[in-house]
Amino acid sequence: MALVSLRELVTDASRRGYAVGSFNVVNMDTLQAILQAAEENGSPVILSVAEGHFHFVDLDEFSPVILKAAEKARVPVAVHLDHGQTFPAIVKALRSGFTSVMFDGSLLSLEENITRTREITRMAHAVGVSVEAELGHVTGGEGDASPGVADPSLYTDPKEAAIFVQKTEVDALAVAVGTVHGIYKGKPELDIPRLARIREATQVPLVLHGGSGLSDADFQAAIANGIAKINVYTDMSQRAMQKIRSVDTLPQETGFPEFMCLVKEAMQEAVTEKMQIFGSVGKATGFGS
Ligand SMILES: [Zn+2]
């Protein structure tokens, strides 16, 4: 068990028809909440650190802690750089021992995105690290507080996706098919036929970013049409905030570490619910076989 690459995780997920949740680590409490949920549910999991969260998570200090926890876990775990936007961040993650990196060149031209992603895959694959890239653009920032809507003009084009995957040799591809990062304003509508065409054209495990506001049925339709990794942050963060807002209802003598355990439990519940929806519960058993 323990530390595996993203490629191993998404290959198993694609083969057995589920999706692996990728949850953002922003501190020790999130790390423990995610791993506890994964172990209790026998679920493979991805611990991801976003480049945009480097001000919360100093990789030099914290990646040894994350990697140690991943190695000790009784379930398969990948340690992943989420939304790497700069070359130094990618190199730093590789050097820190991450087993997977995402390069997000989704705001670049197709040609430039291919060139830069290709550079990353050559480097990462040479040291056994998987690469996720993004084509089309999922709007909204990581942990963005302002609600947004998806922009169909930025959706992933299946023909471009085929060229992109063939030229870059990425292990997983994040697609834009109707979600946004952060909170969705109104109700998101997934473009499932487009997703099916992308899968058909690329034959690579696909990744869904920005799942907030989707129904269980939406997630299941996405998984049935090629999504093998789903990123979760907003739901977990919101659940922690709900608990924090309830602090006045607790007995006066509640101490800080006791209170933080309650916050952790709330996040753990949010992670568990996602694992149940994604179908990853129990999949540590028989993994990769
Ligand atoms: Zn994202």
Side-chain angles (χ1 to χ4, degrees), residues 82-83 142 181 209 231:
D82 187 23
H83 287 283
E142 201 62 48
H181 287 111
H209 286 231
N231 287 20

